[in-house]
Amino acid sequence: MRALIVLSVLTVAAIVFVAVAFVRDSQTEATVAEECPAGFIRANVALPEPKDVKLKVFNAAGTDGLGARVSTDFGNRKFQVEKAENSDKTSDAVATLRYGPKTVGAAHLLRAYFLDNARTEYDEARDDDVVDVVIGTRFEQLATTTEVNQSLVELGQAKLPPGTCAA
């Protein structure tokens, strides 16, 4: 019997507490995302899952088959990969990531696969949802899952490019 009395008192106290919280709530309006200033472009900085990232690999290393190999590696990691192509120019970088406003978060994720050794080229005029991955002569291999996770921690949140606001 004592247990029922204690349980009843606790139930009534919880109901009173919730009622007081609703009555005294001072938040009268829902918070709204900031407006994008005039002339700014909305950019998607959300970090996507690999299965939601579309990319196209370009071989700028001059090594036969490297683009196809990297494309296969990304495909095995669940990325949506378009057919690899050879680049007209060679690059002395590990990799270069070319992207637009729709893929800022995706490019940030891909930076981790190159342990933040990839160059980035943001193009505000680009309207597609594909990140171009240009493999250069200094490329050795993609990072492991553990290395990617550690790199993402070190990179922190994706930064908005100049002239953009969060979508």
Side-chain angles (χ1 to χ4, degrees):
M1 189 67 174
R2 277 188 238 166
L4 278 173
I5 293 171
V6 170
L7 186 60
S8 298
V9 170
L10 288 175
T11 303
V12 169
I15 291 170
V16 169
F17 180 76
V18 169
V20 169
F22 277 119
V23 171
R24 292 191 178 183
D25 184 16
S26 62
Q27 183 179 356
T28 58
E29 297 178 12
T31 55
V32 180
E34 289 183 26
E35 290 294 321
C36 198
F40 276 48
I41 299 169
R42 291 205 178 271
N44 183 2
V45 293
L47 194 65
E49 293 290 322
K51 66 181 178 62
D52 298 325
V53 177
K54 297 177 188 173
L55 57 91
K56 183 164 188 163
V57 177
F58 293 89
N59 180 3
T63 305
D64 289 338
L66 182 60
R69 189 185 88 204
V70 173
S71 290
T72 300
D73 286 349
F74 275 121
N76 290 338
R77 294 165 193 225
K78 309 296 184 227
F79 286 87
Q80 297 177 38
V81 185
E82 296 181 7
K83 188 172 190 279
E85 294 182 14
N86 288 324
S87 177
D88 297 338
K89 301 177 183 177
T90 58
S91 170
D92 64 346
V94 171
T96 303
L97 305 174
R98 299 186 304 220
Y99 59 99
K102 292 182 180 178
T103 54
V104 173
H108 185 75
L109 173 64
L110 288 169
R111 284 175 56 196
Y113 280 86
F114 296 100
L115 303 176
D116 198 23
N117 289 317
R119 295 179 186 158
T120 57
E121 293 180 4
Y122 172 73
D123 180 3
E124 70 180 29
R126 193 166 172 166
D127 195 31
D128 62 359
D129 62 348
V130 178
V131 178
D132 292 339
V133 179
V134 182
I135 302 299
T137 57
R138 293 188 18 223
F139 174 79
E140 293 179 17
Q141 67 182 23
L142 295 177
T144 65
T145 303
T146 301
E147 291 171 330
V148 169
N149 291 335
Q150 290 172 343
S151 185
L152 283 171
V153 169
E154 290 176 13
L155 287 169
Q157 296 290 334
K159 307 285 188 283
L160 284 169
T164 64
C165 60

